[in-house]
Amino acid sequence: MPERETIERAQEDAREGKSPSTQAGEFVREEMHHIREGKHGASSTKQAIAIGLSKARRAGVKLQSPAQGKVSAKTRKRAKRDSRMGQSHSHRRPSATRSRATSRALKKEGRSAASHRALSKQARSTARKRGAAARRASAMKAVRT
């Protein structure tokens, strides 16, 4: 369950007209804090980001599910389900057994997935996949802000 402050920050971003990915960024940020403070771990930076995005979808952020071919069908299906859960107003209580199993599994994972070095490496590799033009546009936007 995301913290109240995170949800409020995301809602503020939505009111300001910021993009869904910016709103979801708040949840990813919270996830990184959880890993850093030792609440649980993650097997990779990618997994930590995925957990944050899932929480964002379930909290009602209108994030699209990943494109076909980018991730497995299972992941896409899960993302769509999370989005549906976030948009519907009938929330069932999550299964205690399942929640406990997830927590226990994540507690056994490493904590280095949220390190500055790991995040930097992840950002660079993702940017490299997007191409030079996208990297340049991002750098120019950074200069303007």
Side-chain angles (χ1 to χ4, degrees):
M1 193 69 198
E3 291 164 15
R4 185 181 293 277
E5 292 152 34
T6 306
I7 294 169
E8 283 170 3
R9 274 200 301 266
Q11 285 172 344
E12 190 181 331
D13 287 344
R15 278 195 301 274
E16 289 173 5
K18 291 183 179 175
S19 71
S21 62
T22 304
Q23 295 166 42
E26 293 296 341
F27 293 90
V28 175
R29 184 167 169 258
E30 179 194 62
E31 209 50 46
M32 296 304 164
H33 284 303
H34 284 182
I35 294 170
R36 283 179 188 154
E37 67 194 11
K39 199 169 186 180
H40 60 78
S43 59
S44 66
T45 310
K46 225 173 194 178
Q47 187 194 30
I49 293 167
I51 293 168
L53 293 177
S54 174
K55 280 186 177 179
R57 286 190 180 101
R58 283 177 163 267
V61 175
K62 288 177 181 160
L63 261 182
Q64 287 185 333
S65 53
Q68 201 167 359
K70 291 273 183 187
V71 293
S72 67
K74 186 179 175 183
T75 306
R76 285 188 73 225
K77 195 174 177 183
R78 173 59 66 184
K80 279 186 177 169
R81 185 177 181 189
D82 286 342
S83 291
R84 259 199 324 273
M85 287 291 290
Q87 299 306 317
S88 73
H89 296 291
S90 59
H91 291 290
R92 280 211 322 255
R93 236 175 126 218
S95 157
T97 313
R98 189 174 185 164
S99 296
R100 199 165 44 244
T102 308
S103 304
R104 279 186 183 165
L106 284 173
K107 276 178 181 159
K108 290 175 186 170
E109 298 290 352
R111 306 289 189 264
S112 60
S115 69
H116 292 290
R117 193 173 170 186
L119 284 169
S120 172
K121 190 178 176 185
Q122 169 66 28
R124 274 201 310 273
S125 68
T126 305
R128 212 174 292 124
K129 280 181 195 165
R130 287 175 68 187
R135 268 204 309 281
R136 184 177 187 280
S138 176
M140 293 306 281
K141 187 178 180 182
V143 167
R144 283 196 305 273
T145 56

